[in-house]
Amino acid sequence: MGWLTMSRFHMGGHKTAKDYLDAQFTYSREADGTIKGLKVLASSCPQNRTYYAAAQVMIDGVGKEVFAIVCKVMWNPKSKSGEHFGYKDMDESVGPYEDSCPRHILDLLTPTDREHALDWRARCRANLARRSRKIEDGDRIKLAQALTFSDGHVGDEFIVVKRGRRLSFRDPATRCGYAISRFMERDWTILPVTKVHKTIFA
C-alpha cells in the first residue's frame, strides 16, 4: 500500500498519529455469519516517525495469532499544504526496513514460520541488544566501519565523552570532537586500555 495523507482535522478526533492508527487497526466486520477483525494489544510511535503494533486476529470474539504491524509515519501539524499526517502501513511478513520495535511489543507476538517476519524479529532483537550495551565516559571504542565526517576526517577509533545520557566522541590523536548518529545501533567494541602503574622506590 502507498502513502495515505490527510489533514489533522480529518483524523476522526484523534490527536496523535498513534491514537489514529490504534483505532484504524482495531475493528470487527461480519462476513458470512462470522465476525472477523483485529485488536491492537500494544503499540508505540516514538517521535511520530514509525508506528509499531502487536495486533491480534479476532474471530467471533476469540483471539488468534498476534503479528506485528509497522507504519512509516509523516507528522507535520504545521504543514501549509494541509497534509499534516500521513502513513504507509505494512506487516512484518514483508520484512520492513524499520527494525526498532520495542521489546514489549515483540514479546506479545505469537510464533511464525514466515521467513521475512522471522528475519525482521531477529533484526529488532539484535538492535535491542545493541542499544542495551553499557558504555562509560573515557571508554575507547572502535567502530566496525570507519566514518567520514564533514571536516574530511576519517576515523574508526574514538574516546567516549559522556555527560548524562548525551554522548559525543573525541579523536584520540587530534582531540577533535565528533557526533556519531545512531551510535548505539552501530557495530563497535570497547578497546582495552593499558593502565600504567606508578613505580614507588624504597
Side-chain angles (χ1 to χ4, degrees):
M1 179 179 175
W3 281 87
L4 176 64
T5 60
M6 66 190 75
S7 162
R8 60 190 175 93
F9 302 109
H10 296 155
M11 292 175 61
H14 300 291
K15 301 298 184 183
T16 66
K18 179 182 179 299
D19 288 346
Y20 177 88
L21 292 170
D22 283 347
Q24 285 294 107
F25 298 122
T26 297
Y27 64 87
S28 61
R29 301 188 182 102
E30 184 176 356
D32 300 324
T34 301
I35 299 176
K36 298 180 180 180
L38 288 180
K39 179 180 180 181
V40 172
L41 302 180
S43 67
S44 178
C45 191
Q47 300 178 323
N48 287 316
R49 292 181 178 177
T50 308
Y51 171 87
Y52 298 97
Q56 185 169 39
V57 175
M58 303 295 293
I59 299 179
D60 287 332
V62 178
K64 302 294 183 179
E65 70 169 306
V66 181
F67 66 98
I69 293 174
V70 180
C71 297
K72 295 181 180 179
V73 173
M74 182 276 292
W75 180 253
N76 184 9
K78 296 182 180 180
S79 171
K80 294 182 180 179
S81 69
E83 294 181 320
H84 303 122
F85 167 57
Y87 70 97
K88 179 179 181 181
D89 66 290
M90 63 199 94
D91 68 65
E92 61 176 331
S93 68
V94 302
Y97 172 79
E98 294 74 17
D99 52 13
S100 296
C101 184
R103 188 185 309 276
H104 72 279
I105 292 176
L106 291 173
D107 289 344
L108 292 172
L109 307 180
T110 52
T112 182
D113 58 1
R114 294 170 180 162
E115 182 179 353
H116 292 310
L118 290 171
D119 174 72
W120 178 80
R121 293 183 188 188
R123 285 189 281 118
C124 290
R125 295 284 185 187
N127 276 335
L128 286 169
R130 290 190 188 98
R131 290 197 294 271
S132 67
R133 290 173 293 180
K134 303 297 183 184
I135 192 165
E136 301 296 337
D137 182 58
D139 282 346
R140 183 165 181 153
I141 60 98
K142 183 177 179 64
L143 298 167
Q145 293 184 327
L147 299 178
T148 301
F149 296 87
S150 58
D151 64 354
H153 175 69
V154 179
D156 61 359
E157 289 190 23
F158 298 89
I159 304 298
V160 176
V161 179
K162 187 176 183 181
R163 299 292 181 267
R165 292 186 177 183
R166 184 180 179 85
L167 294 177
S168 59
F169 303 87
R170 190 174 67 245
D171 182 87
T174 66
R175 315 296 288 181
C176 291
Y178 295 94
I180 300 177
S181 63
R182 302 183 68 177
F183 172 72
M184 294 304 292
E185 296 179 19
R186 296 179 183 271
D187 290 326
W188 49 265
T189 55
I190 297 177
L191 298 176
V193 177
T194 302
K195 294 184 178 180
V196 178
H197 297 280
K198 183 184 295 185
T199 301
I200 300 176
F201 296 94

